Structure formats: C-alpha cells, structure tokens
Amino acid sequence: MKATVIQNVANRYKVIDEEDNMHICIARGKLKNNNQVLNKREENALKLATNYGKINTLTPVAGDKVEIENEAITKIYERTNYIKRPKIANVTQVVFVVSLKEPEPDILMLDKQLAFAENMGIKSIIVLNKCDLADCSNLKNVYEKVGYTVLETQAKNNVGVDKLKDYLKENITVFSGNSGVGKSTIINSLFGKNITEEGLVSEKNKRGKNTTTAVTLYELEENTYIADTPGFSTFDINEIDYKNLDKEFIDFIPFIQDCKYVGCSHIYESEKECGVKRAVLDGKISKSRYENFVKIYKELEENYKRRYN
Ligand SMILES: Nc1nc2c(ncn2[C@@H]2O[C@H](COP(=O)(O)OP(=O)(O)OP(=O)(O)O)[C@@H](O)[C@H]2O)c(=O)[nH]1
Ligand SMILES: [Mg+2]
Ligand SMILES: [Zn+2]
C-alpha cells in the first residue's frame, strides 16, 4: 500500500497510508542492509542494482512516498526533491518568515533563501510577521514586484493566519526564517494548538544538552502537511553554482538576455552593456535585490574557490 513517511526516529518510520491509518514501520530488504551503514562501494552497488530513482540515498526520510507491506517499507518512490538539512523529501513549498521588528528584517537572508528555493524548484511564500510593530508596506511592495506572494501576519494575535492557511492546501510546506521571527507562533496558530512543543524543547536544549529531534510532518488537512523542523532556521545555499545564481533571481531573468556578453556576471565594471545593471538603473530591479545578489555571488564564489582550489 502507498503511504507517506511523517517521521523517522532511529530505524522506525511513522507513516500514514492512503486510508489515513498510521503505521510504525521498519525499512527492510534492499533499502538498508540490516540497519548497517553501507560503505561507499556497497552503496554504489546497491544503487545500480536497484532503481530507487536518481536521488542518492537508500534511507527513507520524512516526506517520502513509500510502499509498505506488513509494517515494513519496501520501496521509496522517486522524489521530486531532497533537502539535506533538514532531511526531508518532496517539499513543495517554503514559507519564509520575516519579522518587521525584534528581530529587524534580514533581507540578505531572505534573498539567499529565495534563491535556494528557486534552485530546488520549490514554491516560495513570504510572510511578513509582527506587522503590529512596524509598517509592512515597503517590503511587501518590493517582493510583490519581484513576483512572490507576500502575506502580512500578526501571528501573536492570530491575524492573517487564515489567509496563509489557504496557500498551504495540498502542499508539503517547510517554514524557514531566522530565530525569533515567529515561525512556531504561526504554526501553532494554524493548528489552533501548541503543536511545536517538541521543537520548543529542543530550542531550550540548544544552550546545554545536545539533543536531536526528528523532522515531523503534521497533517493540517487531507494532503496538507506542515513540516516541523526543530533546530532548523535557514537553508544552506552553498550548493548553488554562483555562475547560475542570476537565474535564481526571478526578477533578473527578463533582463539577462539584454547583456552583451554571454555569461555576463552583472557585477564587474568591465562588463559593458549589462541588461541587469541597466534594469537596476531604470528602477525595474530593486536596488536592494541587486546589492544582495552581488553579496551572495561573492560569498558563493569565495566558498567555491576555498573548496576546490
Ligand atoms: N509583537 C509580536 N510578537 C510576535 C508575533 N508573532 C510572534 N511573536 C513573538 O516573537 C517571539 C518569537 O516567536 P517564535 O514563534 O518562538 O519564533 P521562531 O521563529 O519559532 O523562533 P526559533 O524557534 O528560535 O527559530 C515570541 O515571543 C512570540 O510571542 C507578532 O505577530 N507580533
Ligand atoms: Mg520555533
Ligand atoms: Zn549582465
């Protein structure tokens, strides 16, 4: 029977089948060799021998669509995507939470995270939270112009959360955003109860004890899941190839074709007749987006060179 993995702790998998029944399963057989960790060679041999799709892991993770038989996972269906940290598959949407105050908006982080989602082929929604503390309209305008859905919330007062709920239908959604922006408050407001208690416990432990808490998918409605990802706040974007970063800035795309040089980086003085730089001057691309693009490009380039030179 087909099922969705909603949690993995050690070698136990909580799954929900198509009739909405919960099972605790093991992964057996070709998926994982008696729970032993395979070495690289064995793993490669297994990968060739089996056809679990193009993703290079044999271990089910939260979000996986699987086949179950007698409380064992016998097959992982091909993933639409796979995020390493937090470990989760088949995410369809990310909600990026930015707070207007306490903490101040971190727009560089937002632009990094939006690029990550584009790179992974995941839809993005921006939630401007704590709109009770400051005016949201400026940020809202900038990112709506880029082409994203921007919602305003006051999670603490349950304002705007119902509208967000409409956007979550039929998705597996991950919440991302710096610590303290209100992710847990929003998720709790969506469910009408304290669903992230587990996550809050793990936050407390950050100071001292080193605990790992599992990624868990919570079913908001049928086919609608929210991922609770304790200890996680933002994605590592280092897998983006800096040379292709411009394509992850969706507001740049229409102007790239106007660049004189193929492979124009849109950064250096020496690159004359750059469509992107022209669009910034003309006010068609926001200055802050362009400045963040340059910062992220240089950061990725530096990290790349450190790794490979
Ligand atoms: N003024 C105001 N405060 C809010 C709002 N939403 C959340 N807060 C407060 O902001 C603080 C942080 O909220 P959390 O939901 O814990 O933030 P978080 O994003 O889950 O933080 P981490 O778990 O550390 O990543 C809490 O004290 C909330 O009560 C809001 O809309 N307005
Ligand atoms: Mg939290
Ligand atoms: Zn250019």
Side-chain angles (χ1 to χ4, degrees):
M1 195 184 323
K2 207 171 173 180
T4 303
V5 177
I6 60 162
Q7 192 185 58
N8 162 225
V9 177
N11 57 344
R12 291 281 178 276
Y13 298 88
K14 237 184 231 175
V15 308
I16 293 185
D17 70 22
E18 288 184 311
E19 284 154 18
D20 227 17
N21 297 312
M22 168 115 75
H23 305 259
I24 307 289
C25 292
I26 55 160
R28 65 148 192 235
K30 291 177 209 154
L31 290 175
K32 218 176 165 194
N33 200 351
N34 296 329
N35 301 320
Q36 275 176 321
V37 180
L38 304 175
N39 70 32
K40 264 264 127 36
R41 199 172 50 83
E42 289 167 330
E43 198 178 302
N44 285 336
L46 250 181
K47 232 185 286 169
L48 288 174
T50 54
N51 48 359
Y52 292 126
K54 54 192 171 193
I55 313 294
N56 63 353
T57 176
L58 300 162
T59 315
V61 297
D64 263 326
K65 304 284 178 210
V66 295
E67 202 54 48
I68 58 169
E69 213 181 295
N70 301 326
E71 314 304 282
I73 295 171
T74 55
K75 179 191 168 114
I76 304 173
Y77 286 95
E78 192 166 325
R79 294 166 175 165
T80 56
N81 57 45
Y82 175 70
I83 300 174
K84 279 190 200 151
R85 231 172 323 151
K87 258 198 181 59
I88 185 168
N90 301 320
V91 170
T92 60
Q93 182 167 265
V94 184
V95 169
F96 294 112
V97 184
V98 176
S99 80
L100 270 288
K101 260 207 157 96
E102 301 168 18
E104 296 288 319
D106 184 348
I107 298 310
L108 177 60
M109 183 54 78
L110 176 63
D111 285 332
K112 279 185 188 175
Q113 299 291 295
L114 290 168
F116 174 88
E118 294 301 335
N119 190 250
M120 295 288 282
I122 301 172
K123 270 180 290 180
S124 296
I125 291 181
I126 299 167
V127 167
L128 303 177
N129 190 37
K130 309 198 188 184
C131 284
D132 51 320
L133 301 181
D135 179 28
C136 292
S137 53
N138 188 30
L139 269 182
K140 191 171 197 284
N141 286 340
V142 169
Y143 285 92
E144 276 180 346
K145 218 176 119 195
V146 172
Y148 289 112
T149 299
V150 184
L151 303 175
E152 295 174 54
T153 58
Q154 299 173 30
K156 208 169 90 172
N157 308 323
N158 290 318
V159 173
V161 178
D162 275 348
K163 195 163 175 208
L164 170 62
K165 207 168 186 172
D166 292 337
Y167 285 92
L168 304 179
K169 280 189 181 29
E170 311 270 314
N171 280 293
I172 296 182
T173 303
V174 170
F175 281 70
S176 168
N178 287 334
S179 186
V181 295
K183 299 180 296 295
S184 298
T185 312
I186 292 171
I187 294 172
N188 288 334
S189 172
L190 283 165
F191 282 91
K193 62 180 177 194
N194 196 353
I195 199 120
T196 61
E197 221 160 343
E198 231 177 308
L200 292 174
V201 171
S202 93
E203 280 163 32
K204 275 197 201 111
N205 287 346
K206 254 188 217 164
R207 285 175 220 135
K209 269 186 268 171
N210 187 12
T211 55
T212 43
T213 319
V215 173
T216 304
L217 296 188
Y218 290 99
E219 196 173 22
L220 188 61
E221 319 170 352
E222 212 183 326
N223 280 323
T224 301
Y225 293 96
I226 307 295
D228 183 35
T229 51
F232 158 82
S233 58
T234 54
F235 299 106
D236 174 10
I237 64 157
N238 274 304
E239 282 182 38
I240 302 175
D241 174 4
Y242 66 93
K243 293 196 187 85
N244 289 322
L245 180 66
D246 56 352
K247 277 114 198 148
E248 317 302 357
F249 275 63
I250 57 172
D251 41 345
F252 289 17
I253 292 170
F255 305 106
I256 294 172
Q257 65 193 28
D258 300 335
C259 296
K260 186 176 172 191
Y261 301 108
V262 179
C264 177
S265 71
H266 328 299
I267 287 180
Y268 300 108
E269 282 289 337
S270 55
E271 294 165 334
K272 303 279 183 240
E273 294 173 49
C274 168
V276 170
K277 278 189 275 187
R278 161 93 355 237
V280 176
L281 288 175
D282 292 347
K284 290 174 181 158
I285 290 175
S286 95
K287 224 170 150 235
S288 75
R289 285 276 289 173
Y290 177 72
E291 284 166 1
N292 285 342
F293 168 78
V294 175
K295 284 185 195 156
I296 299 167
Y297 181 99
K298 291 192 167 157
E299 185 185 320
L300 290 174
E301 184 183 33
E302 206 167 285
N303 290 343
Y304 176 87
K305 288 187 171 156
R306 197 173 303 136
R307 255 182 298 163
Y308 297 105
N309 287 344

